[in-house]
Amino acid sequence: MLSSYCPGTLWPVNAGSVERVEGLFCINERLTSVLRLADGSEVLVVKVGATNVGRIGVVYNESILTNAGKLPRDDKRVDWIPNQVYSFDRGDELGRFEMGSTVILVVDKNIRERHPDLFKSRLGQAVKVGEAL
């Protein structure tokens, strides 16, 4: 598993800001986890910081905690490659916001081909905590 932290701004991620601020999800702070599934396909879990989102953390590395004075704020991306293998089961916690924000899932072609209806029906729709994808 690879993690990547990209420092950035903390614009709100509401509909008005997304429409008004060009590239908002690219310029806001991001903490990305790259997950490799059993079949070799990959999912990127991009946790996007926002106004009032004080901190973003991950359960697999306690030293990764944004806005806590532990990570550089010099506009340089920081990558971590763990020295052990982490496994997660369905429903396990991967990371957390200390308030709410946005998570973007980027899935590879194999997953999209196996589940085409899932992606067509959910495109642009919000997912609430606990709701199955």
Side-chain angles (χ1 to χ4, degrees), residues 8-103:
T9 59
L10 293 172
W11 286 98
V13 293
N14 57 36
S17 293
V18 171
E19 290 173 9
R20 187 174 26 90
V21 179
E22 185 175 341
L24 184 142
F25 295 113
C26 297
I27 62 173
N28 266 18
E29 171 182 85
R30 293 162 322 280
L31 180 56
T32 302
S33 302
V34 180
L35 307 178
R36 184 176 307 272
L37 305 183
D39 66 1
S41 56
E42 290 186 340
V43 176
L44 298 163
V45 181
V46 184
K47 295 159 286 302
V48 181
T51 302
N52 294 327
V53 177
R55 294 192 176 119
I56 305 169
V58 290
V59 298
Y60 54 84
N61 186 335
E62 291 182 16
S63 69
I64 302 174
L65 185 63
T66 69
N67 294 302
K70 296 180 179 182
L71 300 173
R73 296 292 302 167
D74 58 4
D75 293 330
K76 293 184 181 175
R77 189 175 96 186
V78 178
D79 295 331
W80 291 274
I81 299 174
N83 56 8
Q84 69 183 70
V85 175
Y86 292 92
S87 295
F88 296 93
D89 291 322
R90 184 180 295 186
D92 285 353
E93 179 184 8
L94 176 64
R96 68 201 164 279
F97 295 105
E98 294 203 357
M99 288 186 73
S101 190
T102 297
V103 176

Side-chain angles (χ1 to χ4, degrees), residues 114-130:
R114 283 196 312 268
H115 305 285
D117 293 337
L118 173 67
F119 295 96
K120 289 179 186 174
S121 66
R122 297 307 303 246
L123 187 60
Q125 294 180 8
V127 178
K128 295 184 181 182
V129 173

